[in-house]
Amino acid sequence: MRGAVLLLGVGILCSAVWAQRVERVSYRGWQDCYRLTNGTVEVIVVPAIARVVHYGFVGKPNVLWVNPATEGKPVKPGEWPNHGGEKAWIWPQDEWELRTGRGWPPPSATDQVPYQAEVVRGNVVRLISPLVAGYGVRLVREIWLEPTGTRVHTRTCVEKLRDGAEFAVSAWTVAQLPAPQMMLARLHPDSSLERGYKLYSERDFRSVRRAGQILLVERPSDVAVKLGCDADLLAWFRAPYLVVQRSPFVAEGLSAYKPEDHAQIFSNSDTLPYIELEFTSPLKVLKKGEQVCLEVVWELHRIPSHAQSPESLVKFLQER
């Protein structure tokens, strides 16, 4: 009997492993992409534009926003096409000009050049950026799926390659999704932010209200706006799909982050109707060979019509 149970367990484990696949594909005009799937969801990584461009249930719509004007097009040196998808930058943004000589667009090696790509440990796609000028670092990203379910793991590290001026840096991920019906954030109970968030833009969101430790956020359609908050979870809802991104606080807790830095929500105007869910790691002064990393886990849920009210979404996230 014990042998039968053991064989059954091995069979279940093998099924889970075999359910995960990484294959080379073309996608919407981009070549040499990586498709990850576990039979439930699929993820497409495009090294040529240094980002993830697709996440969704197999055979169902992409929940990431991809710019139709740049779809399938390569990056061009000196230009910053907003391709959409999910990518990595270096935080803090207000030091870009000091380090690179320009405040916008982002440092070119972060998202305007192809990344080196490889598959490691059988089912993990690793992306490696060139040296980021002005910083002496590179970005190293790993993306993988769990054997079953919808969870996607991303690990983004800023790795110091050269000695030089010592200044604090942070890993920063930016996921662009289509304009939603609602956005939500789950706040740390010890956050010192009086309203639960800090506004980065001159204009405020259409509505930001609080239900316990959950912020419910509605975007305006006519202007770009941004907020920061002390949250470990950000969510996007557009019926019937709910995308949840979580980045747990490090062991030191909230004190490791500057208030409002860890989680941010940006909403563009309807000229390009998308939003961004963003996370940053703690800031760290790096020496050659050291790195600072950010872990983010994605989940995708199909919410039944009877559970799509703001109150139901709040309850759903409170129970996660």
Side-chain angles (χ1 to χ4, degrees):
M1 184 64 178
R2 178 181 294 178
V5 172
L6 179 61
L7 286 173
L8 177 61
V10 172
I12 292 172
L13 178 60
C14 289
S15 296
V17 172
W18 280 106
Q20 297 180 81
R21 295 205 314 271
V22 180
E23 56 187 349
R24 299 287 288 273
V25 297
S26 59
Y27 182 80
R28 296 188 176 185
W30 288 299
Q31 305 301 313
D32 295 321
C33 309
Y34 291 81
R35 176 179 181 262
L36 301 82
T37 183
N38 60 8
T40 300
V41 293
E42 57 186 345
V43 169
I44 307 290
V45 181
V46 184
I49 57 171
R51 71 198 65 209
V52 179
V53 296
H54 183 101
Y55 175 47
F57 289 109
V58 173
K60 299 300 181 180
N62 183 14
V63 295
L64 296 178
W65 178 79
V66 176
N67 190 343
T70 66
E71 189 174 296
K73 296 180 180 179
V75 293
K76 296 181 180 179
E79 295 184 7
W80 185 80
N82 184 3
H83 286 295
E86 188 269 358
K87 55 188 174 287
W89 290 341
I90 298 175
W91 182 262
Q93 183 176 347
D94 58 13
E95 291 190 8
W96 287 354
E97 186 168 8
L98 178 64
R99 309 296 170 202
T100 69
R102 64 183 191 188
W104 186 263
S108 58
T110 62
D111 74 341
Q112 297 157 59
V113 296
Y115 275 28
Q116 175 186 335
E118 59 183 340
V119 178
V120 298
R121 302 190 295 280
N123 64 344
V124 178
V125 174
R126 178 182 289 162
L127 300 176
I128 302 175
S129 81
L131 180 74
V132 181
Y135 283 87
V137 304
R138 67 178 181 181
L139 295 173
V140 180
R141 308 200 67 199
E142 292 189 342
I143 301 114
W144 70 96
L145 295 177
E146 291 195 2
T148 60
T150 69
R151 286 188 176 179
V152 180
H153 293 258
T154 69
R155 187 171 191 264
T156 303
C157 299
V158 178
E159 182 179 293
K160 192 72 174 290
L161 297 182
R162 294 182 178 176
D163 290 322
E166 295 188 350
F167 48 85
V169 293
S170 169
W172 181 13
T173 58
V174 179
Q176 295 180 307
L177 300 96
Q181 294 165 244
M182 179 72 63
M183 294 168 285
L184 305 98
R186 187 175 67 189
L187 305 177
H188 192 288
D190 296 330
S191 174
S192 62
L193 298 174
E194 185 176 351
R195 294 191 295 172
Y197 69 100
K198 177 181 177 179
L199 194 64
Y200 289 141
S201 52
E202 292 184 4
R203 286 271 301 274
D204 205 339
F205 285 74
R206 179 183 177 188
S207 170
V208 181
R209 56 193 177 94
R210 188 165 177 171
Q213 296 306 118
I214 305 293
L215 285 182
L216 296 97
V217 182
E218 295 183 66
R219 62 181 287 274
S221 60
D222 61 333
V223 66
V225 288
K226 186 173 184 177
L227 63 79
C229 59
D230 300 322
D232 68 341
L233 181 153
L234 299 174
W236 166 99
F237 176 70
R238 182 169 174 170
Y241 298 115
L242 177 72
V243 174
V244 177
Q245 292 197 356
R246 66 180 73 223
S247 182
F249 293 96
V250 295
E252 296 84 353
L254 193 59
S255 63
Y257 306 85
K258 180 181 175 183
E260 87 267 345
D261 268 12
H262 184 47
Q264 302 162 30
I265 295 174
F266 170 82
S267 175
N268 201 40
S269 71
D270 278 355
T271 53
L272 280 178
Y274 66 85
I275 65 96
E276 295 176 353
L277 304 182
E278 309 176 13
F279 283 108
T280 67
S281 71
L283 287 162
K284 183 178 179 181
V285 177
L286 301 175
K287 296 181 179 180
K288 185 177 179 180
E290 292 183 336
Q291 60 184 17
V292 60
C293 299
L294 172 66
E295 308 266 356
V296 182
V297 181
W298 310 353
E299 296 175 4
L300 178 59
H301 303 272
R302 189 181 286 109
I303 305 298
S305 57
H306 69 269
Q308 294 178 2
S309 68
E311 295 75 19
S312 295
L313 296 174
V314 167
K315 183 178 180 182
F316 182 87
L317 294 180
Q318 287 172 333
E319 295 174 349
R320 302 304 297 168

